[in-house]
Amino acid sequence: MPSSAEDVAEYLEDQGIGTRGAASGWAIFIGKEPSSPNNTITVYDTGGAMGNPDQLYDPTIQIRIRGHDYSGTYAKAVEIRDDLVVNTDRVVGDWHYAGFFLISDIAKIDTDENNRDVFTINFRLMREPNSTA
């Protein structure tokens, strides 16, 4: 069963926000941010609250957005945030996602050793098993 981070990466790719494992453009990764390409979106599972052993209702994720152009990287973070928060009630894989809620909005957390800006956004997800899966 895919993790929430895997589901969100799939969703972001389906929305045209990036491409998983791409060598150029905005590349999407799960759980580990590689040193290249420069423009990356990496989705991490960060825990959450458990409803019961079979249904994780409130998982949390962090999305890191890294790039050389400050304003372009920030704009990509805004695009991701707005898409996830505004577009609710979606099915990804075996899960129905009823909502994405900001834990913390876009934050500039670093400029890495290659002079790339790094932003993060943290979300709490509300999900349940998809009854039609």
Side-chain angles (χ1 to χ4, degrees), residues 43-68:
V43 188
Y44 298 90
D45 289 296
T46 57
M50 190 168 188
N52 69 50
D54 297 322
Q55 301 173 341
L56 188 60
Y57 285 103
D58 292 319
T60 57
I61 60 166
Q62 180 178 84
I63 301 177
R64 285 174 49 106
I65 305 94
R66 181 188 72 204
H68 270 299

Short mmCIF file of all heavy atoms in Angstrom, two decimals, residues 43-68:
data_model
loop_
_atom_site.label_atom_id
_atom_site.label_comp_id
_atom_site.label_asym_id
_atom_site.label_seq_id
_atom_site.Cartn_x
_atom_site.Cartn_y
_atom_site.Cartn_z
N VAL A 43 8.58 14.87 -1.48
CA VAL A 43 7.48 14.67 -0.56
C VAL A 43 7.90 13.65 0.49
O VAL A 43 8.38 12.57 0.15
CB VAL A 43 6.20 14.19 -1.29
CG1 VAL A 43 5.02 14.16 -0.34
CG2 VAL A 43 5.89 15.06 -2.51
N TYR A 44 7.72 14.02 1.77
CA TYR A 44 8.13 13.17 2.89
C TYR A 44 6.92 12.82 3.76
O TYR A 44 6.08 13.68 4.03
CB TYR A 44 9.12 13.91 3.80
CG TYR A 44 10.41 14.29 3.13
CD1 TYR A 44 10.54 15.51 2.48
CD2 TYR A 44 11.51 13.44 3.15
CE1 TYR A 44 11.73 15.87 1.87
CE2 TYR A 44 12.71 13.79 2.55
CZ TYR A 44 12.80 15.01 1.91
OH TYR A 44 13.98 15.37 1.31
N ASP A 45 6.84 11.58 4.21
CA ASP A 45 5.89 11.20 5.25
C ASP A 45 6.46 11.68 6.57
O ASP A 45 7.63 11.44 6.87
CB ASP A 45 5.73 9.67 5.29
CG ASP A 45 4.98 9.15 4.08
OD1 ASP A 45 3.80 9.50 3.93
OD2 ASP A 45 5.58 8.40 3.29
N THR A 46 5.64 12.35 7.38
CA THR A 46 6.14 12.89 8.64
C THR A 46 5.33 12.45 9.86
O THR A 46 5.45 13.04 10.92
CB THR A 46 6.18 14.44 8.59
OG1 THR A 46 4.88 14.94 8.28
CG2 THR A 46 7.18 14.92 7.55
N GLY A 47 4.52 11.42 9.70
CA GLY A 47 3.78 10.90 10.85
C GLY A 47 2.31 11.20 10.76
O GLY A 47 1.71 11.08 9.70
N GLY A 48 1.73 11.59 11.86
CA GLY A 48 0.31 11.90 11.90
C GLY A 48 -0.38 11.16 13.02
O GLY A 48 0.25 10.46 13.81
N ALA A 49 -1.70 11.28 13.05
CA ALA A 49 -2.51 10.62 14.07
C ALA A 49 -3.17 9.39 13.47
O ALA A 49 -3.58 9.40 12.31
CB ALA A 49 -3.57 11.58 14.61
N MET A 50 -3.28 8.35 14.25
CA MET A 50 -3.84 7.10 13.75
C MET A 50 -5.23 6.87 14.31
O MET A 50 -5.44 6.89 15.52
CB MET A 50 -2.92 5.95 14.15
CG MET A 50 -3.24 4.65 13.51
SD MET A 50 -1.84 3.57 13.83
CE MET A 50 -2.29 2.20 12.83
N GLY A 51 -6.20 6.67 13.40
CA GLY A 51 -7.56 6.39 13.83
C GLY A 51 -7.69 4.97 14.37
O GLY A 51 -8.20 4.73 15.44
N ASN A 52 -7.22 4.00 13.62
CA ASN A 52 -7.13 2.60 14.03
C ASN A 52 -6.10 1.93 13.14
O ASN A 52 -5.64 2.51 12.16
CB ASN A 52 -8.52 1.92 14.00
CG ASN A 52 -9.05 1.74 12.60
OD1 ASN A 52 -8.36 1.22 11.74
ND2 ASN A 52 -10.27 2.17 12.36
N PRO A 53 -5.70 0.70 13.44
CA PRO A 53 -4.61 0.08 12.68
C PRO A 53 -4.85 -0.03 11.18
O PRO A 53 -3.91 -0.08 10.41
CB PRO A 53 -4.47 -1.30 13.32
CG PRO A 53 -5.01 -1.13 14.69
CD PRO A 53 -6.11 -0.12 14.57
N ASP A 54 -6.09 -0.07 10.73
CA ASP A 54 -6.37 -0.23 9.30
C ASP A 54 -6.60 1.08 8.57
O ASP A 54 -6.56 1.12 7.35
CB ASP A 54 -7.60 -1.11 9.11
CG ASP A 54 -7.38 -2.51 9.63
OD1 ASP A 54 -6.26 -3.02 9.47
OD2 ASP A 54 -8.32 -3.07 10.21
N GLN A 55 -6.87 2.15 9.30
CA GLN A 55 -7.25 3.40 8.65
C GLN A 55 -6.48 4.57 9.27
O GLN A 55 -6.78 4.99 10.38
CB GLN A 55 -8.75 3.64 8.80
CG GLN A 55 -9.57 2.53 8.18
CD GLN A 55 -11.04 2.70 8.47
OE1 GLN A 55 -11.44 3.41 9.38
NE2 GLN A 55 -11.87 2.04 7.68
N LEU A 56 -5.52 5.07 8.56
CA LEU A 56 -4.75 6.23 9.02
C LEU A 56 -5.46 7.48 8.54
O LEU A 56 -5.39 7.86 7.38
CB LEU A 56 -3.32 6.18 8.49
CG LEU A 56 -2.36 7.21 9.04
CD1 LEU A 56 -2.23 7.04 10.55
CD2 LEU A 56 -1.01 7.07 8.39
N TYR A 57 -6.22 8.11 9.41
CA TYR A 57 -7.06 9.23 9.01
C TYR A 57 -6.33 10.55 8.91
O TYR A 57 -6.72 11.41 8.14
CB TYR A 57 -8.23 9.38 9.99
CG TYR A 57 -9.28 8.34 9.79
CD1 TYR A 57 -9.37 7.26 10.64
CD2 TYR A 57 -10.18 8.43 8.74
CE1 TYR A 57 -10.33 6.29 10.46
CE2 TYR A 57 -11.14 7.46 8.56
CZ TYR A 57 -11.22 6.39 9.41
OH TYR A 57 -12.16 5.44 9.21
N ASP A 58 -5.33 10.78 9.69
CA ASP A 58 -4.68 12.08 9.72
C ASP A 58 -3.17 11.99 9.55
O ASP A 58 -2.41 12.43 10.41
CB ASP A 58 -5.00 12.81 11.03
CG ASP A 58 -6.46 13.21 11.13
OD1 ASP A 58 -7.02 13.66 10.13
OD2 ASP A 58 -7.02 13.06 12.23
N PRO A 59 -2.69 11.45 8.43
CA PRO A 59 -1.24 11.45 8.21
C PRO A 59 -0.76 12.87 7.94
O PRO A 59 -1.55 13.76 7.59
CB PRO A 59 -1.06 10.56 6.99
CG PRO A 59 -2.35 10.66 6.26
CD PRO A 59 -3.40 10.84 7.32
N THR A 60 0.52 13.10 8.14
CA THR A 60 1.11 14.40 7.81
C THR A 60 2.24 14.20 6.81
O THR A 60 2.88 13.14 6.77
CB THR A 60 1.65 15.12 9.07
OG1 THR A 60 2.60 14.28 9.73
CG2 THR A 60 0.52 15.46 10.02
N ILE A 61 2.45 15.23 6.00
CA ILE A 61 3.53 15.21 5.03
C ILE A 61 4.25 16.55 5.03
O ILE A 61 3.69 17.56 5.47
CB ILE A 61 3.03 14.92 3.59
CG1 ILE A 61 2.04 15.99 3.14
CG2 ILE A 61 2.46 13.51 3.47
CD1 ILE A 61 1.74 15.98 1.65
N GLN A 62 5.48 16.53 4.56
CA GLN A 62 6.23 17.75 4.29
C GLN A 62 6.62 17.72 2.83
O GLN A 62 7.04 16.68 2.31
CB GLN A 62 7.49 17.87 5.14
CG GLN A 62 8.27 19.14 4.84
CD GLN A 62 9.49 19.28 5.71
OE1 GLN A 62 10.53 18.72 5.39
NE2 GLN A 62 9.35 20.00 6.81
N ILE A 63 6.49 18.87 2.17
CA ILE A 63 6.93 19.00 0.80
C ILE A 63 8.05 20.03 0.77
O ILE A 63 7.88 21.15 1.27
CB ILE A 63 5.77 19.41 -0.14
CG1 ILE A 63 4.65 18.37 -0.07
CG2 ILE A 63 6.28 19.58 -1.57
CD1 ILE A 63 3.43 18.72 -0.88
N ARG A 64 9.21 19.61 0.23
CA ARG A 64 10.35 20.51 0.06
C ARG A 64 10.45 20.88 -1.40
O ARG A 64 10.38 20.01 -2.27
CB ARG A 64 11.65 19.82 0.50
CG ARG A 64 11.81 19.70 2.00
CD ARG A 64 13.05 18.89 2.38
NE ARG A 64 14.27 19.28 1.72
CZ ARG A 64 15.26 19.94 2.30
NH1 ARG A 64 15.18 20.29 3.56
NH2 ARG A 64 16.34 20.23 1.62
N ILE A 65 10.65 22.16 -1.66
CA ILE A 65 10.77 22.67 -3.01
C ILE A 65 12.12 23.37 -3.09
O ILE A 65 12.41 24.27 -2.32
CB ILE A 65 9.63 23.67 -3.35
CG1 ILE A 65 8.25 23.03 -3.11
CG2 ILE A 65 9.74 24.13 -4.80
CD1 ILE A 65 7.67 23.31 -1.76
N ARG A 66 12.96 22.93 -4.05
CA ARG A 66 14.32 23.46 -4.15
C ARG A 66 14.60 23.92 -5.59
O ARG A 66 14.24 23.23 -6.54
CB ARG A 66 15.33 22.37 -3.79
CG ARG A 66 16.79 22.85 -3.86
CD ARG A 66 17.77 21.73 -3.70
NE ARG A 66 17.78 20.91 -4.91
CZ ARG A 66 18.17 19.64 -4.94
NH1 ARG A 66 18.54 19.02 -3.84
NH2 ARG A 66 18.15 18.97 -6.07
N GLY A 67 15.23 25.10 -5.71
CA GLY A 67 15.59 25.60 -7.04
C GLY A 67 16.55 26.77 -6.96
O GLY A 67 16.75 27.36 -5.90
N HIS A 68 17.15 27.12 -8.10
CA HIS A 68 18.12 28.22 -8.17
C HIS A 68 17.49 29.60 -8.18
O HIS A 68 18.10 30.57 -7.74
CB HIS A 68 19.02 28.08 -9.40
CG HIS A 68 20.25 27.28 -9.15
ND1 HIS A 68 21.20 27.63 -8.24
CD2 HIS A 68 20.68 26.13 -9.71
CE1 HIS A 68 22.17 26.74 -8.23
NE2 HIS A 68 21.88 25.81 -9.12
#
